[in-house]
Amino acid sequence: MKRENIVLVNAHWSNHGDEAAVLAVIEEIWNWKPDARVSVIIKDKKKVKESIIVKKRPVRCIANQFLPNPADYVVQLLSKGRIGRNPAMKRFLALLGKADFIIYAPGGSVINDRFWWRKQLEYMLPLWYARLYRKPLYIASPSIGPFEAKYKIRNFLRRRLFSGIPYLFVRERMSYEFLKEIGAAGNARVTIDSAFCSEVDTKAQEELFYAEESLSAFMERYPKVVGVTITELDWNVKYKDKNMAQEIRNAMQGFLEFLQRSGYGVILIPQLFENQDDSSLLETYRGGKETVFILNQAYSSDFQQYLISRLYLVVGMRYHSNIFSAKMGVPFLPVIYEEKMESFVREAELLNYAVYVEEISAASLEEHFRRIVDEQDAYREILRRKRAEWAKRAEITKKSLKEFLQKTRKSKFL
């Protein structure tokens, strides 16, 4: 019997949050298709290592990124890549042509009006391909939007594209509302970030924890340790031109000094690895202080989740540091800079504990930190209740993915 080809498209890597979300989907694939060939097409210009993504079975990782010319885009799509001038796009289409199932990988919103239109065309390509050539397509709970009403032709195309997908899942309510605004929410369902679908092997991660003597010794030195993730948003389309970096730096440095004065140990948790790096940034915040520890970026998302489960509290500027904390039942202070984080925190009924990045300061962070500490029992009760709800929503992803993979290879687009 022919082995089936399952291709995850539009995946991002070198980020422990995306790693956790993508690996959770792959684990579910192997639960139902253990003999399938799994390929992950990653939006990266550089080749990616397979040391983390390959856990139990081989996974083919393909770095492929391109910006299409609109006219060439149409020609290549209609010819399945046989005609056209963009070699990276040709390669992408060839991989889609061999796929029995296409899965749009989980992650942050990349189909929205903050990116230029050529970038949108790149990310929409597998959706158009699946529609034209009747390939089974599963949208694995990414964020989507926002969209601007002034782009009427773009929204018409996106409405046409999204409204015909039977398996269309988004990870928060706000993405659903964005689809609804352009009339494309008919088949959409809200689930949860796919990182909630996986279980952390606590025993294996505990062994790693104690093997890292400097880390375990640091944790034992302080009765309460706070985890912190930091980004200065110089990469973010919305904030990179607003000169936020210095405001963030002033706020976070002042807040870290408050934590140290108050007797807390601080672990700075990098979210990037391999082809990206935020450890260098975190070093500038550490400043050689013994009360601050920087986690090795090479540790996997499973290890980060295990470590977070041992922390007193997490202050998260990175989306998935808050997701990991919520999943592990640890109170977190989210710094909101994007719709996906606001929507998750709002749905979690924790918005009064959050700081918006536009209002960030050492004083606002300290105020909200103290509030969480003072209301620790109430906060943990919210997490206890919500974790049961999140587990049920994760089951929707698992059950629907099983159903999708067990269906015929021919799509039934509307």
Side-chain angles (χ1 to χ4, degrees), residues 69-342:
N69 171 279
D72 186 56
Y73 182 90
V74 174
V75 170
Q76 289 213 52
L77 177 58
L78 294 179
S79 68
K80 295 186 179 182
R82 287 187 289 270
I83 305 171
R85 296 175 296 175
N86 191 318
M89 183 174 169
K90 282 187 174 185
R91 184 185 186 203
F92 190 85
L93 289 168
L95 291 165
L96 294 183
K98 295 176 183 177
D100 295 304
F101 299 92
I102 299 173
I103 298 177
Y104 186 113
S109 176
V110 288
I111 298 181
N112 64 58
D113 283 325
R114 293 206 178 109
F115 292 114
W116 61 97
W117 184 237
R118 286 176 66 193
K119 194 75 172 173
Q120 299 305 289
L121 291 174
E122 178 181 358
Y123 280 97
M124 290 191 290
L125 181 58
L127 282 69
W128 287 120
Y129 189 95
R131 170 181 288 279
L132 283 172
Y133 303 111
R134 297 176 59 80
K135 292 277 187 177
L137 174 68
Y138 183 100
I139 309 292
S141 302
S143 295
I144 296 175
F147 308 118
E148 295 185 39
K150 65 180 181 180
Y151 295 119
K152 296 186 184 301
I153 295 176
R154 294 183 186 182
N155 287 334
F156 168 79
L157 292 171
R158 288 185 286 225
R159 178 166 59 252
R160 178 65 180 148
L161 188 60
F162 282 116
S163 60
I165 301 172
Y167 291 91
L168 172 54
F169 300 93
V170 292
R171 64 183 179 183
E172 69 283 299
R173 183 74 190 180
M174 197 171 287
S175 290
Y176 177 87
E177 294 298 330
F178 289 141
L179 288 172
K180 189 175 179 181
E181 286 174 6
I182 64 171
N187 295 325
R189 295 179 67 187
V190 180
T191 53
I192 195 73
D193 190 281
S194 59
F196 281 94
C197 295
S198 65
E199 297 292 332
V200 175
D201 186 339
T202 302
K203 185 176 180 180
Q205 303 309 319
E206 185 177 53
E207 290 176 1
L208 285 175
F209 173 79
Y210 284 109
E212 179 58 85
E213 294 181 3
S214 58
L215 173 60
S216 54
F218 181 88
M219 289 284 290
E220 290 173 4
R221 197 181 310 152
Y222 298 94
K224 295 176 181 177
V225 178
V226 176
V228 181
T229 58
I230 302 173
T231 174
E232 294 183 349
L233 296 177
D234 51 347
W235 51 271
N236 186 274
V237 174
K238 181 180 177 181
Y239 290 106
K240 67 180 180 180
D241 295 327
K242 293 188 176 182
N243 199 28
M244 290 292 300
Q246 192 57 53
E247 289 184 43
I248 292 169
R249 177 166 289 274
N250 293 340
M252 295 304 296
Q253 285 180 329
F255 177 66
L256 292 177
E257 289 172 5
F258 154 74
L259 290 177
Q260 293 166 82
R261 288 196 309 271
S262 303
Y264 294 99
V266 176
I267 294 183
L268 300 180
I269 305 174
Q271 288 286 275
L272 307 179
F273 64 99
E274 283 186 12
N275 293 343
Q276 298 188 63
D277 170 56
D278 59 353
S279 293
S280 299
L281 173 69
L282 297 182
E283 278 291 351
T284 67
Y285 283 89
R286 179 173 180 265
K289 297 183 179 70
E290 293 184 358
T291 51
V292 180
F293 186 95
I294 298 179
L295 185 67
N296 189 328
Q297 65 171 325
Y299 281 115
S300 72
S301 57
D302 279 358
F303 186 82
Q304 285 199 2
Q305 291 174 76
Y306 168 77
L307 175 65
I308 284 172
S309 74
R310 299 180 66 113
L311 299 179
Y312 176 66
L313 197 146
V314 169
V315 179
M317 286 198 71
R318 287 284 187 175
Y319 175 81
H320 271 97
S321 59
N322 298 312
I323 294 293
F324 292 168
S325 302
K327 178 182 172 182
M328 306 309 288
V330 174
F332 58 98
L333 191 172
V335 180
I336 295 175
Y337 64 84
E338 214 169 30
E339 292 86 1
K340 62 184 180 182
M341 196 181 298
E342 179 182 5

Side-chain angles (χ1 to χ4, degrees), residues 2 23 30 35 46 112 114 128 136 186 201 239-241 274 315 321 350 356 359 367 387 389 394 403:
K2 175 182 175 291
L23 286 180
W30 281 331
D35 297 322
K46 299 178 182 178
N112 64 58
R114 293 206 178 109
W128 287 120
D201 186 339
Y239 290 106
K240 67 180 180 180
D241 295 327
E274 283 186 12
V315 179
S321 59
L350 297 170
Y356 284 88
E359 302 166 359
E367 175 191 347
R387 288 175 78 196
E389 176 188 320
E403 177 185 291

Side-chain angles (χ1 to χ4, degrees), residues 393-409:
R393 286 167 65 178
E395 282 301 314
I396 295 173
T397 299
K398 293 180 181 181
K399 290 178 181 178
S400 63
L401 192 53
K402 174 187 176 183
E403 177 185 291
F404 168 76
L405 292 171
Q406 291 180 342
K407 277 186 175 293
T408 175
R409 297 179 191 174

Side-chain angles (χ1 to χ4, degrees), residues 322 332 334 336 340-354:
N322 298 312
F332 58 98
I336 295 175
K340 62 184 180 182
M341 196 181 298
E342 179 182 5
S343 188
F344 177 77
V345 173
R346 187 185 299 278
E347 291 177 51
E349 301 173 14
L350 297 170
L351 201 58
N352 59 323
Y353 298 112

